[in-house]
């Protein structure tokens, strides 16, 4: 006859274990991905990334990120969430009409300058652009 593991612990041990379980809030759930807002008119299409051998790398990165929560991905510097602005002040992209105003924009690098750009809702990263040339958030080149 097997014993329930909670029967052998004291009440305070059981309560502490319950308090340590991350059971609430979207920030504690693993990252999910959506293509609902993918913009086919800006950036590159999936076929171009496939031809350039970037699509498989992107899928690997998505798979890795899906094992993390948003805070974990930010802490590991895999995901950058732009919290201070609605959309970059300098960009070769325009705000898509089908994305709600005030979206919380974010990006992650595939390798080098290649990025996937999207917006965050709870624990969902909505993929909007494939940005092979880092044109979403244009910055001044450093040390050149």
């Amino acid at each position: 006859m097997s014993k329930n593991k909670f029967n052998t612990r004291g009440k305070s041990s059981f309560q502490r274990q319950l308090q340590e379980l991350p059971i609430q809030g979207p920030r504690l759930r693993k990252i999910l991905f959506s293509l609902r807002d993918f913009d086919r008119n800006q950036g590159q299409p999936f076929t171009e990334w496939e031809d350039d051998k970037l699509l498989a790398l992107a899928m690997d990165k998505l798979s890795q990120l899906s094992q993390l929560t948003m805070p974990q991905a930010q802490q590991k510097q895999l995901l950058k969430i732009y919290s201070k602005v609605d959309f970059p002040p300098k960009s070769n992209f325009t705000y898509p009409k089908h994305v709600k105003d005030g979206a919380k924009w974010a990006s992650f690098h595939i390798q080098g300058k290649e990025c996937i750009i999207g917006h965050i809702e709870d624990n969902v990263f909505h993929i909007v652009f494939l940005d092979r040339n880092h044109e979403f958030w244009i910055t001044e080149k450093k040390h050149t």
Side-chain angles (χ1 to χ4, degrees):
M1 184 169 162
S2 68
K3 275 190 158 183
N4 181 333
K5 66 179 180 180
F6 295 118
N7 289 342
T8 61
R9 294 183 174 178
K11 184 177 179 182
S12 63
S13 174
F14 178 71
Q15 288 172 338
R16 185 173 56 252
Q17 184 180 14
L18 287 178
Q19 289 172 350
E20 293 170 355
L21 292 175
I23 56 174
Q24 295 180 348
R27 292 180 52 80
L28 299 176
R29 293 182 293 197
K30 302 234 176 174
I31 300 172
L32 300 175
F33 297 94
S34 169
L35 293 168
R36 176 190 73 192
D37 290 336
F38 186 71
D39 190 334
R40 297 182 190 288
N41 299 313
Q42 299 184 76
Q44 297 81 45
F46 295 114
T47 53
E48 192 171 318
W49 273 42
E50 183 177 19
D51 291 344
D52 293 343
K53 308 282 190 248
L54 291 171
L55 193 56
L57 290 170
M59 295 305 293
D60 284 341
K61 185 71 90 163
L62 291 170
S63 177
Q64 291 171 17
L65 284 173
S66 70
Q67 302 303 309
L68 304 172
T69 63
M70 291 287 179
Q72 289 171 332
Q74 287 180 278
Q75 182 182 30
K76 293 177 183 265
Q77 298 182 349
L78 299 174
L79 178 67
K80 177 166 179 112
I81 299 176
Y82 305 104
S83 58
K84 302 226 182 221
V85 295
D86 290 337
F87 203 76
K90 282 184 164 183
S91 181
N92 285 342
F93 292 85
T94 58
Y95 202 112
K97 293 178 182 174
H98 62 277
V99 174
K100 69 178 183 172
D101 288 338
K104 186 187 285 187
W105 290 92
S107 70
F108 63 91
H109 285 266
I110 302 306
Q111 66 172 12
K113 62 184 176 179
E114 296 89 352
C115 299
I116 292 182
I117 309 297
H119 64 90
I120 304 291
E121 280 184 278
D122 295 326
N123 66 315
V124 179
F125 185 102
H126 295 275
I127 298 170
V128 181
F129 308 119
L130 300 180
D131 181 10
R132 184 182 57 230
N133 299 312
H134 203 279
E135 296 177 316
F136 177 72
W137 196 291
I138 298 172
T139 57
E140 298 294 323
K141 291 183 181 181
K142 297 178 182 178
H143 311 291
T144 58

